[in-house]
Amino acid sequence: MRVGTFGFVPARLQEARAARRIKTQKQLAELLQVASSSVSRWEKGEIAPDADALSALAHVLGVRREYFLRPAFESDRPMFHRQLTSTSVQDLRYQSAQMNWLQEISSTLQHYVDFPEVDIPDVLGGASWRQLREDDIESIALELRRYWGVGEGPCGDIVPLLERIGIIVGTIEMGTSRLDGLCSWSSSEVRPHILLATDKMSFPRRQMDGAHELAHAVLHKNVSAEDFEENLKEIEDQAFRLASAFLMPSTTYPYEVNSLSLSSFLYLKERWRVSIKAQIRRLTDLEMIPKDHATNLYKLYSAKGWNRGEPLDQEWAITPPRALKDALNLIVSSGVRTKKDLLSLEFTMSAADIENLSSLPSGWFLQREGEIVQLRTSDSRSPSRLGSTGEVLQFPRR
């Protein structure tokens, strides 16, 4: 009689299936060539897979066997995502699973390196997010700029700022344009993590996505999962308003708007590096553009085909996050751990998953680690042939 594997964690199987976009238990069962009822009972915790089945699961799902024996790295804080009506449950589960993996990588690396301390001021002062008015959010945006020394002009690249204030940032291809980003506070580290999409990405879009998730980290740290589900629209509106106010502060940006036209917004895009669409929304929120005029601008915007891509979108390079990548390079280069050790002892997901989430080049774990070598001195230049002492020569007097 075969005995199930002791210590098997059912939640890890659910997580891995979501991370691999295997939609149903039946699909996984077909890949494993087992009955779908077996997969169902494994995920429910009614039975555990035996040693052979566990090895098959690890192979099909691209993880180590030990992956299923470690506790799921889940946070009791909600994961803030833009839950559009067109977003599938499978996509959201995939995103959540990848966020769990990002937090697991971060937690593991912090055994060896110190990431910057979280430097996010308490802008609510003990108040609830429910009490925030639009004017409050505008003031918070200016307060954050002053606190982080951003000034009141164009923000610059948002990703280095996020990492400077202690936020762990990962990037991954979401496989759909309907998912832009995700933010979650880690319970164990008490640190926000942000996961950004790389799909069809442009610098202005990355700016808004990063600022939007930053807004969640600032305003909604103490929001419960139940509150998020029940008040999704209000919470998302607050995050977008703060992101827009942070990237386009009310004290400077509006005064550079010379006309309420797409050509004017295109000119401002080159300086402020935010999308034309975001500018229309910002000026509408500030009541500088009447709603009927905003509607006409959106129609013209769509007629130009800019929903598929705006002018200047590819003008600026996108900076990948550095914190996780630098940490892994430091750990290996200092000899604390080898790449093989990291994969076989520390991490349980695949090398490709770690490289992807940490912005490492593909195949980094396969590259040989550098060795310290000395140049060999040829026989003709050896110390024994040159002599052990030198002769001091004086320059002739003029």
Side-chain angles (χ1 to χ4, degrees), residues 209-230:
D209 289 349
H212 187 103
E213 304 311 327
L214 172 62
H216 280 310
V218 171
L219 298 179
H220 305 130
K221 177 181 178 181
N222 297 316
V223 171
S224 67
E226 292 76 16
D227 277 346
F228 178 61
E229 293 299 326
E230 294 174 4

Side-chain angles (χ1 to χ4, degrees), residues 159-189:
V159 170
L161 172 62
L162 296 175
E163 295 191 307
R164 175 167 65 85
I165 63 176
I167 298 177
I168 300 298
V169 184
T171 59
I172 195 168
E173 184 175 347
M174 298 294 183
T176 172
S177 60
R178 293 189 293 269
L179 296 178
D180 298 316
L182 181 68
C183 176
S184 177
W185 278 82
S186 167
S187 298
S188 61
E189 302 172 43

Side-chain angles (χ1 to χ4, degrees), residues 107-125:
S107 178
T108 298
L109 294 181
Q110 288 186 72
H111 291 117
Y112 302 100
V113 299
D114 291 322
F115 290 121
E117 292 186 7
V118 178
D119 187 22
I120 298 178
D122 179 14
V123 295
L124 297 181

Side-chain angles (χ1 to χ4, degrees), residues 37-217:
S37 60
S38 296
V39 176
S40 175
R41 296 183 71 188
W42 293 339
E43 290 196 359
K44 291 178 181 178
E46 295 176 351
I47 60 173
D50 60 28
D52 291 341
L54 189 69
S55 295
L57 278 172
H59 175 72
V60 167
L61 295 171
V63 294
R64 287 173 50 214
R65 286 167 49 93
E66 290 81 359
Y67 173 85
F68 300 103
L69 307 179
R70 295 187 184 180
F73 204 91
E74 296 178 335
S75 173
D76 59 357
R77 311 287 181 89
M79 293 191 183
F80 298 104
H81 49 74
R82 272 153 280 184
Q83 194 172 23
L84 305 176
T85 54
S86 59
T87 305
S88 70
V89 173
Q90 181 188 357
D91 287 336
L92 294 175
R93 287 176 177 169
Y94 167 79
Q95 199 178 42
S96 296
Q98 294 294 332
M99 173 59 84
N100 288 343
W101 286 4
L102 177 68
Q103 293 186 351
E104 186 171 346
I105 293 170
S106 169
S107 178
T108 298
L109 294 181
Q110 288 186 72
H111 291 117
Y112 302 100
V113 299
D114 291 322
F115 290 121
E117 292 186 7
V118 178
D119 187 22
I120 298 178
D122 179 14
V123 295
L124 297 181
S128 168
W129 62 272
R130 298 174 184 275
Q131 299 173 268
L132 291 174
R133 300 167 301 176
E134 292 177 350
D135 289 346
D136 297 325
I137 294 176
E138 293 291 333
S139 298
I140 288 172
L142 297 175
E143 180 183 344
L144 291 173
R145 277 178 160 261
R146 287 191 294 269
Y147 183 82
W148 291 323
V150 178
E152 296 187 17
C155 177
D157 196 336
I158 193 75
V159 170
L161 172 62
L162 296 175
E163 295 191 307
R164 175 167 65 85
I165 63 176
I167 298 177
I168 300 298
V169 184
T171 59
I172 195 168
E173 184 175 347
M174 298 294 183
T176 172
S177 60
R178 293 189 293 269
L179 296 178
D180 298 316
L182 181 68
C183 176
S184 177
W185 278 82
S186 167
S187 298
S188 61
E189 302 172 43
V190 195
R191 180 188 297 274
H193 292 66
I194 289 176
L195 187 60
L196 298 173
T198 59
D199 309 64
K200 299 181 180 179
M201 187 52 57
S202 66
F203 185 87
R205 179 176 172 182
R206 170 62 57 83
Q207 291 289 92
M208 184 57 71
D209 289 349
H212 187 103
E213 304 311 327
L214 172 62
H216 280 310

